[in-house]
Amino acid sequence: MASDSGDPTNCGATTILAASSYHVIRIDGYSRSLNTQGNRPSFNSDPFRAGGRTWHVIYKPMGSPCCPENTEHISLFLALDDDLADAERFVRRQDLERSEHLKGDCFAVRVHVCIFKGAPPVAVPPPDIHRHLGGLLSGEEGTDVEFRVRGETFAAHRFVLGARSPVFRAELLGPMKEGTATDAVQVEDMEPQVFHGLLTFVYTDAWPETEEEDECVMAQHLLAAADRYDLPRLKLMCQDKLRQRMDASSVASILALAEQHRCPRLKEACFKFLAFSSVAFLEAIASEEFEYLARSCPSVTRELISGLLARDLEKTTLGELCSRIPLFRGL
């Protein structure tokens, strides 16, 4: 194969063009290339330079050996070091032979090589809307609604709460909206620190700052609050916190929450925790929280016991426990 190079040409404007050139290979003796000994003859062009790299073109007049169905095609490969960019079904041989491109048993292929360099990235800082909205909450600027929670008052913004929670939207922006400039919205059955944590999440989409030893308790209360105000992301965050901090003293109350607030994955995690260790199970069933679970969610207790039996716990030991613990009688 003979070859020569041409001048650079222009390319698209969506990227930065680092280099552009073209290369022409000429096949002298096309018919002889088909009659070369070997099942799949292959020819390499002279090397050429483009973009500071050395390239060559591989010409296979009977197709690539890796694809039997390509025997009726010419294959061309552009080779750079060990990387190949191929054109296995470039043209059917019979189409080439009938075309005007095969003249005097010769044809030419022009290979145009463009090497692009991506535009340098623009440094974009991470999103900080949570910081601005958090400052809006703590500064109380422009607040238009107040909540009264067990004697404590919290100022907030109706449209922020309504945008984040459909329950807040109905309460504060709907036809039955609660609270005016002088009338605070009463929040029942919730501790002030839990409501503050709820507002923190609503404004910042982040977990509220909590002492590590209090995080499990806060997660339990926030799970109920997230379900109450329809905040699915906060609800998932609470489940993850509870799953990580679950122990024998808290698993029963967590299991009750999982059942009451429709958290099947958290419920499954509780079952696995109790089934993993008989010691943890014995400690859990002796707690007051387990008595509450048995009273409030008897179906879950039955499901738990039957599941543990199915996992080959010693039936005699479990039977003795059931006979000694009054809350199991009649389950």
Side-chain angles (χ1 to χ4, degrees):
M1 291 190 295
S3 62
D4 62 82
S5 296
D7 297 329
T9 58
N10 197 8
C11 286
T14 57
T15 56
I16 295 177
L17 181 63
S20 176
S21 65
Y22 69 85
H23 193 75
V24 175
I25 62 171
R26 189 172 63 247
I27 311 299
D28 290 325
Y30 162 71
S31 59
R32 291 196 306 272
S33 69
L34 296 177
N35 297 325
T36 304
Q37 292 183 355
N39 294 330
R40 298 289 183 92
S42 178
F43 304 91
N44 291 346
S45 73
D46 295 335
F48 60 94
R49 299 283 295 176
R53 304 299 298 272
T54 300
W55 308 75
H56 70 274
V57 175
I58 303 171
Y59 162 56
K60 297 179 182 293
M62 299 185 67
S64 173
C66 64
C67 298
E69 66 272 17
N70 291 337
T71 56
E72 299 300 317
H73 294 77
I74 290 171
S75 295
L76 291 173
F77 298 83
L78 177 63
L80 169 63
D81 294 333
D82 294 326
D83 298 326
L84 299 179
D86 61 17
E88 288 195 357
R89 294 191 172 189
F90 181 67
V91 65
R92 290 179 60 88
R93 283 202 307 275
Q94 65 177 18
D95 293 337
L96 173 66
E97 293 165 359
R98 295 172 180 173
S99 73
E100 61 182 11
H101 301 295
L102 184 62
K103 297 180 179 179
D105 204 31
C106 296
F107 71 94
V109 177
R110 172 171 166 159
V111 180
H112 191 180
V113 180
C114 292
I115 302 173
F116 297 95
K117 179 177 65 177
V122 177
V124 178
D128 60 354
I129 188 173
H130 63 282
R131 181 170 59 85
H132 295 289
L133 290 179
L136 195 64
L137 175 65
S138 60
E140 299 187 0
E141 182 179 357
T143 57
D144 57 0
V145 63
E146 288 186 343
F147 295 88
R148 189 69 53 79
V149 186
R150 296 189 183 275
E152 293 191 29
T153 301
F154 297 88
H157 306 79
R158 292 176 183 269
F159 282 101
V160 174
L161 300 181
R164 296 282 282 156
S165 162
V167 177
F168 276 132
R169 186 183 308 125
E171 290 182 353
L172 304 177
L173 303 175
M176 304 299 292
K177 62 183 179 181
E178 298 183 25
T180 64
T182 59
D183 184 20
V185 178
Q186 299 293 327
V187 178
E188 306 294 341
D189 301 325
M190 190 176 299
E191 294 297 324
Q193 62 269 29
V194 176
F195 190 77
H196 180 266
L198 178 73
L199 289 181
T200 298
F201 172 81
V202 167
Y203 277 77
T204 67
D205 207 39
W207 186 261
E209 293 186 7
T210 311
E211 295 293 335
E212 186 174 354
E213 59 270 19
D214 300 329
E215 198 161 64
C216 183
V217 175
M218 175 61 78
Q220 293 184 52
H221 289 291
L222 278 178
L223 175 60
D227 192 36
R228 174 175 175 177
Y229 288 100
D230 196 5
L231 296 168
R233 174 174 162 79
L234 178 58
K235 190 174 178 180
L236 289 173
M237 292 172 68
C238 292
Q239 293 179 65
D240 186 58
K241 296 283 185 183
L242 293 172
R243 182 185 57 81
Q244 295 180 36
R245 288 163 175 77
M246 187 183 302
D247 57 26
S249 63
S250 63
V251 63
S253 57
I254 293 174
L255 182 54
L257 279 171
E259 179 70 9
Q260 293 165 358
H261 298 287
R262 302 172 300 281
C263 305
R265 291 187 179 179
L266 182 58
K267 176 181 175 181
E268 181 182 358
C270 293
F271 278 16
K272 288 182 178 179
F273 177 85
L274 290 169
F276 180 77
S277 169
S278 58
V279 175
F281 174 72
L282 293 175
E283 184 177 344
I285 63 175
S287 65
E288 294 181 0
E289 288 78 6
F290 202 90
E291 292 186 16
Y292 169 76
L293 173 68
R295 291 193 303 269
S296 60
C297 307
S299 61
V300 174
T301 309
R302 288 193 293 269
E303 184 180 354
L304 172 63
I305 298 301
S306 62
L308 292 176
L309 288 172
R311 292 171 187 262
D312 295 327
L313 289 179
E314 294 182 1
K315 295 184 179 181
T316 55
T317 302
L318 190 57
E320 292 174 359
L321 288 171
C322 291
S323 66
R324 292 200 297 265
I325 301 175
L327 65 89
F328 282 141
R329 294 172 183 169
L331 292 178

